[in-house]
Amino acid sequence: MNENLFTSFTTPTMMGLPVVVLIIMFPSILFPSPNRLINNRLVSLQQWLVQLTSKQMLAIHNHKGQTWALMLMSLILFIGSTNLLGLLPHSFTPTTQLSMNLGMAIPLWAGTVVTGFRHKTKASLAHFLPQGTPIPLIPMLVIIETISLFIQPVALAVRLTANITAGHLLMHLIGGATLALTNINASVALITFIILILLTVLEFAVALIQAYVFTLLVSLYLHDNT
Amino acid sequence: MASPVPVKEKKLMDVKLGELPGWILMRDFTPRGIAGAFQRGYYRYYNKYVNVKKGSVAGISMVLAAYVLFNYCRCYKELKHERLRKYH
């Protein structure tokens, strides 16, 4: 069972061809681009959602920060749709791969830091020392703030990976337990099945929340630096 | 059996069964042709099921069902061992 548990997280290849590229590009098909003033229902629904989210997310930024609007909105759409598609049976979720999440987190975080250093150099350097620290503590605190700055991209990536992977693993395990229990004790199997349903509802929420958290944190790092 | 219209320009439904291999071989298999075929197929599906006045959930759920089927075919090899059989 141990080998079966983790095979769903391996990079998908079909007869030697890397299908993973197709799977990563698949969510883009589900977001058609609006052509007209009044569009079909799918596009109108997506437009409404995007406007709702972008207004809420970009409200805290100044003009410079709002140039990141396209990046942040496409980020939340991509992570949200990829996570939700991963809840379908047998599907592969690209966001369970740490490599991909690091590839998203490090450039975005580095972009916010470099923007801050270029445009507000003194203020960016001042972030390393909180206001009102006693003088003897200053060297240690600068070191701690530097470490906490450099851990931000790693935390972003690992948070997303761990949450989605753990959710999928839990569903596999509890689903397997339910199947095994049906022959042994039907009422316990029913309880396990109810747990599985609740877990699936949680996973839907987690899929969306993780997307939101990722994007929100990037936008916060941006806000600090513009 | 020779038809008055050349085989290449006929649509699929007008091609007779005997002419089918010849018709298939005359299709455009260049990258541009294949990309055009994917684009035509996508817009055919989109305009029939999604880009309509009262589109329903059936439009995208057919796509998601096809996605599930594709992924099932992809991992069939590992799933073969999990069937409910007495002897594997």
Side-chain angles (χ1 to χ4, degrees):
Chain A
M1 192 191 83
N2 285 334
E3 194 209 77
N4 282 339
L5 201 54
F6 289 105
T7 47
S8 60
F9 295 114
T10 54
T11 320
T13 54
M14 208 158 78
M15 303 179 295
L17 287 170
V19 168
V20 61
V21 182
L22 286 176
I23 295 184
I24 292 182
M25 292 195 309
F26 177 70
S28 61
I29 296 183
L30 304 172
F31 293 109
S33 49
N35 272 331
R36 313 169 158 186
L37 189 62
I38 312 264
N39 295 294
N40 54 55
R41 282 184 179 176
L42 182 70
V43 172
S44 308
L45 188 68
Q46 287 168 359
Q47 265 180 326
W48 173 73
L49 277 170
V50 167
Q51 275 172 0
L52 188 72
T53 319
S54 59
K55 277 189 192 147
Q56 207 250 329
M57 193 159 280
L58 296 165
I60 55 173
H61 289 130
N62 55 14
H63 181 72
K64 194 155 204 53
Q66 280 175 356
T67 52
W68 279 58
L70 182 63
M71 185 73 234
L72 292 173
M73 288 320 297
S74 42
L75 187 69
I76 191 173
L77 277 179
F78 175 67
I79 300 182
S81 61
T82 314
N83 289 347
L84 283 173
L85 279 175
L87 292 171
L88 291 170
H90 305 307
S91 52
F92 171 70
T93 323
T95 41
T96 52
Q97 308 297 311
L98 185 64
S99 51
M100 172 158 139
N101 293 337
L102 276 173
M104 286 196 295
I106 292 184
L108 288 169
W109 165 83
T112 61
V113 167
V114 167
T115 315
F117 271 113
R118 277 180 70 186
H119 296 283
K120 286 168 40 174
T121 319
K122 254 199 306 188
S124 292
L125 284 172
H127 274 130
F128 284 121
L129 192 62
Q131 263 184 338
T133 58
I135 299 198
L137 281 176
I138 287 182
M140 197 180 66
L141 216 53
V142 171
I143 295 177
I144 290 179
E145 289 288 326
T146 317
I147 295 177
S148 88
L149 180 74
F150 279 98
I151 225 174
Q152 280 173 351
V154 180
L156 269 177
V158 171
R159 181 188 302 113
L160 185 58
T161 313
N163 268 299
I164 307 295
T165 315
H168 285 325
L169 267 177
L170 261 179
M171 280 204 285
H172 272 271
L173 282 169
I174 294 188
T178 315
L179 266 178
L181 279 173
T182 39
N183 290 326
I184 300 174
N185 187 348
S187 56
V188 175
L190 192 64
I191 294 175
T192 323
F193 186 61
I194 292 176
I195 295 179
L196 187 62
I197 292 181
L198 292 174
L199 200 62
T200 312
V201 174
L202 176 69
E203 282 309 307
F204 271 101
V206 165
L208 296 167
I209 289 170
Q210 284 305 315
Y212 175 65
V213 165
F214 196 100
T215 316
L216 189 68
L217 281 171
V218 170
S219 109
L220 265 160
Y221 299 152
L222 186 66
H223 184 63
D224 272 342
N225 286 315
T226 50
Chain B
M1 226 193 64
S3 33
V5 181
V7 173
K8 183 172 182 176
E9 285 126 34
K10 279 202 276 191
K11 293 192 175 184
L12 184 58
M13 287 295 137
D14 297 326
V15 171
K16 302 208 190 316
L17 204 56
E19 297 166 353
L20 192 60
W23 183 86
I24 290 180
L25 288 172
M26 285 193 206
R27 302 293 295 166
D28 187 9
F29 286 114
T30 62
R32 189 160 168 245
I34 293 181
F38 274 110
Q39 202 176 33
R40 283 195 306 271
Y42 171 76
Y43 278 113
R44 220 171 113 179
Y45 183 86
Y46 182 64
N47 289 324
K48 183 167 181 191
Y49 289 109
V50 181
N51 203 9
V52 289
K53 211 178 209 172
K54 292 192 171 188
S56 69
V57 74
I60 42 166
S61 38
M62 280 197 280
V63 177
L64 294 179
Y67 181 63
V68 170
L69 204 66
F70 170 71
N71 281 311
Y72 180 74
C73 296
R74 185 180 49 82
C75 23
Y76 180 69
K77 220 171 181 179
E78 279 99 43
L79 292 169
K80 246 186 350 179
H81 303 295
E82 291 173 19
R83 288 183 292 195
L84 291 175
R85 298 257 198 284
K86 191 173 169 190
Y87 300 109
H88 274 234

